[in-house]
Amino acid sequence: MTRTPPNVVSIAGVDPSGGAGVLADIKTFSALGAYGCGIVTALTAQNTQAVTGMHTPPVAFLRLQIDTLFADVKLAAVKLGMLGTADVVATVADRLAHFDAPFVVCDPVMVAKSGDHLLAKNAVAMLIEALLPQSFMITPNLPEAGVLLEQRPPESVKEMYRAAERLRDMLPLSSERWVLLKGGHLPGAEVVDLLFDGDRMIELPSPRIETKNTHGTGCTLSSAIAALLPQHAGAQLRAQVRALRPVEAAVRDARNYLLRAIASADALAVGRGHGPVHHFHTVWPRQHT
């Protein structure tokens, strides 16, 4: 009996270079066995070097996109990326609550790789108040954690522990919720992420891969988690015993996918700045050895 791929939606901005945002998310969903849908929150004029412009469509049209899709397609998970403004955050939060959206993975996109700001300052409070309570998992990097907690970013793994605990306190305490705090901004040959559910703090170390082509790593990781969460949850229902709990298994598999995508990034030739990771590294045949 063939298992139907889960339908997963990205609610995010559009990066025309394809390295981040909705386009990268749908590539990731597809590579990991999920059917990808996309809802556009913002349009950017962007390449691998800079963001030169941004346009936010009317929130009434954003609401129409969400309502129309959710009314027809049974969605197994939602990935949230670039939201941009307080009005967009409020609209997304309102409609997700209305549809009781499952497995909401919130990547609090605030700054592009180029340094351009992608979330208005007045939108941060709205995100904390209206959207984090609906998120099953949040995936901030260290600068984003600093903004959410109104403090300087963690500067060590020890400080990351305390930040992850405080971030988990911002999510509902009465149900299963997770924080994935990404440690890639710390120096060193090893990158350590922390996965925390309020009970267990799981260290996830990995070697740092030396390449400039890391555009969209945060988008890719969060969308990989969104694609894998319903698949691992379904596997848990069908199996009596698993070595890992489904959320931890999904995150570990998502990180492994991203690491291989980064390691394969130099096989692409996209732009002259920070190029994208290779989302289809396991699908496309190698043209060069």
Side-chain angles (χ1 to χ4, degrees):
M1 182 175 178
T2 302
R3 181 158 52 96
T4 302
N7 302 317
V8 183
V9 64
S10 167
I11 303 178
V14 173
D15 166 14
S17 76
V22 169
L23 298 180
D25 294 344
I26 291 180
K27 292 175 190 177
T28 303
F29 298 157
S30 302
L32 292 173
Y35 180 84
C37 304
I39 289 171
V40 176
T41 60
L43 306 173
T44 68
Q46 183 177 176
N47 56 27
T48 64
Q49 301 180 72
V51 178
T52 59
M54 192 181 309
H55 171 69
T56 302
V59 291
F61 187 71
L62 171 61
R63 180 188 178 104
L64 183 61
Q65 287 185 78
I66 297 172
D67 287 357
T68 303
L69 180 67
F70 276 69
D72 177 52
V73 178
K74 182 176 177 58
L75 293 162
V78 177
K79 178 268 171 81
L80 303 178
M82 175 188 171
L83 301 180
T85 70
D87 286 345
V88 169
V89 173
T91 299
V92 170
D94 175 72
R95 302 326 291 158
L96 292 183
H98 175 79
F99 288 104
D100 192 22
F103 284 136
V104 176
V105 179
C106 178
D107 183 21
V109 176
M110 296 177 180
V111 181
K113 186 75 68 180
S114 60
D116 297 279
H117 287 269
L118 301 177
L119 184 68
K121 290 183 178 180
N122 66 349
V124 175
M126 181 63 69
L127 186 147
I128 293 171
E129 176 184 343
L131 212 45
L132 293 195
Q134 299 186 61
S135 299
F136 179 78
M137 181 181 294
I138 61 173
T139 63
N141 60 32
L142 299 187
E144 291 161 350
V147 173
L148 292 173
L149 297 173
E150 298 184 309
Q151 64 178 44
R152 63 170 176 77
E155 297 179 348
S156 67
V157 174
K158 182 178 179 180
E159 290 186 2
M160 285 177 63
Y161 266 70
R162 177 56 182 150
E165 291 169 349
R166 291 189 59 200
L167 287 166
R168 178 60 185 85
D169 289 341
M170 299 174 73
L171 306 178
L173 302 178
S174 59
S175 59
E176 183 183 10
R177 306 298 169 100
W178 294 78
V179 173
L180 177 64
L181 181 57
K182 301 174 295 189
H185 284 78
L186 294 183
E190 186 177 68
V191 175
V192 177
D193 298 338
L194 296 180
L195 181 64
F196 184 55
D197 66 349
D199 180 26
R200 291 195 307 155
M201 186 76 73
I202 304 167
E203 284 196 17
L204 301 171
S206 60
R208 188 182 300 276
I209 300 169
E210 294 301 330
T211 175
K212 70 171 184 175
N213 296 319
T214 57
H215 180 50
T217 52
C219 297
T220 299
L221 179 58
S222 55
S223 56
I225 294 169
L228 291 171
L229 276 173
Q231 298 183 67
H232 280 282
Q236 176 73 7
L237 292 175
R238 292 188 297 274
Q240 292 183 350
V241 179
R242 282 179 60 87
L244 296 174
R245 291 190 295 177
V247 174
E248 181 182 350
V251 171
R252 287 185 181 274
D253 286 353
R255 290 180 82 255
N256 288 336
Y257 164 79
L258 175 61
L259 288 171
R260 294 195 298 271
I262 296 173
S264 303
D266 291 353
L268 302 175
V270 182
R272 299 188 299 272
H274 293 286
V277 303
H278 195 333
H279 297 95
F280 292 121
H281 59 275
T282 62
V283 181
W284 292 356
R286 289 190 175 274
Q287 302 298 320
H288 306 282
T289 58

